[in-house]
Amino acid sequence: MKSALRRALVRTAPAAVLLLAVTACSNDSPHGASPFTPPSSSAGRQETPASAIPSGSDRNTPMDIRVTLDGRPVDATLNDSPAARDLASLLPLTLDLEDFHGTERIGYPPRKLSTAGAPEPTAPRAGDLAYYAPWGNLALFYRGGPAASADLLVLGHIDADTDQLAGADRITIEAAS
């Protein structure tokens, strides 16, 4: 009898493990994250309800912001995408910047931004302020960036020369008065 039970367990164990793994990795938990989700991936992300997503024409309405790079003011605007509005909700914001791939300066806001209702991807160009969703970082491009990607959301533009952008160690972004 013991050997029959053991054979039955051996035959059903792989299916039970698979069922357990699928259940553990599903997003049906009360908190919306599986136990295997890294803490920084979706924790703290605030999604924008579909009813609050602007139409395509509304996304191009710029929002003026005050930006200083290493203490020097520069002209800048944010677009009206949900991610840009979410960034605006964090202002004022000061970030230390580091170089990334000889193309951009990056810094990390205190939490990830909403990516709901993101506009169509565009390739970043020099002066663009963008958000890279997988890492949760802001990117200030001082050279043209990679091809358009759904993971990289252009949030606005900073009007500064490429040398100032490339050498920036600190950015402060504030709401325009």
Side-chain angles (χ1 to χ4, degrees):
M1 183 69 174
K2 286 183 182 177
S3 65
L5 179 59
R6 189 175 310 150
R7 281 194 305 268
L9 286 174
V10 168
R11 280 194 307 261
T12 59
V17 169
L18 178 62
L19 179 61
L20 181 59
V22 169
T23 303
C25 292
S26 74
N27 244 359
D28 294 336
S29 72
H31 300 294
S34 82
F36 302 106
T37 303
S40 63
S41 66
S42 63
R45 182 178 293 173
Q46 295 180 351
E47 298 298 326
T48 303
S51 62
I53 297 170
S55 69
S57 62
D58 293 339
R59 287 189 181 128
N60 296 324
T61 305
M63 296 183 283
D64 290 326
I65 54 174
R66 284 193 317 244
V67 171
T68 58
L69 296 174
D70 298 325
R72 293 179 293 185
V74 293
D75 292 330
T77 56
L78 290 178
N79 60 37
D80 195 30
S81 68
R85 287 193 308 270
D86 198 18
L87 175 63
S89 75
L90 296 175
L91 302 182
L93 184 64
T94 298
L95 302 173
D96 291 329
L97 300 172
E98 61 187 71
D99 193 70
F100 186 75
H101 283 285
T103 305
E104 61 195 274
R105 305 293 289 172
I106 64 171
Y108 294 86
R111 65 168 170 77
K112 287 192 168 196
L113 302 179
S114 171
T115 58
E120 289 298 315
T122 60
R125 53 192 170 93
D128 279 349
L129 179 64
Y131 176 67
Y132 185 61
W135 292 357
N137 68 279
L138 292 180
L140 174 56
F141 283 86
Y142 58 89
R143 289 199 172 118
S149 164
D151 289 333
L152 185 67
L153 309 175
V154 174
L155 304 177
H157 192 79
I158 296 174
D159 297 321
D161 65 54
T162 56
D163 289 337
Q164 186 178 7
L165 296 170
D169 290 319
R170 180 170 274 207
I171 186 171
T172 299
I173 308 170
E174 300 173 289
S177 46

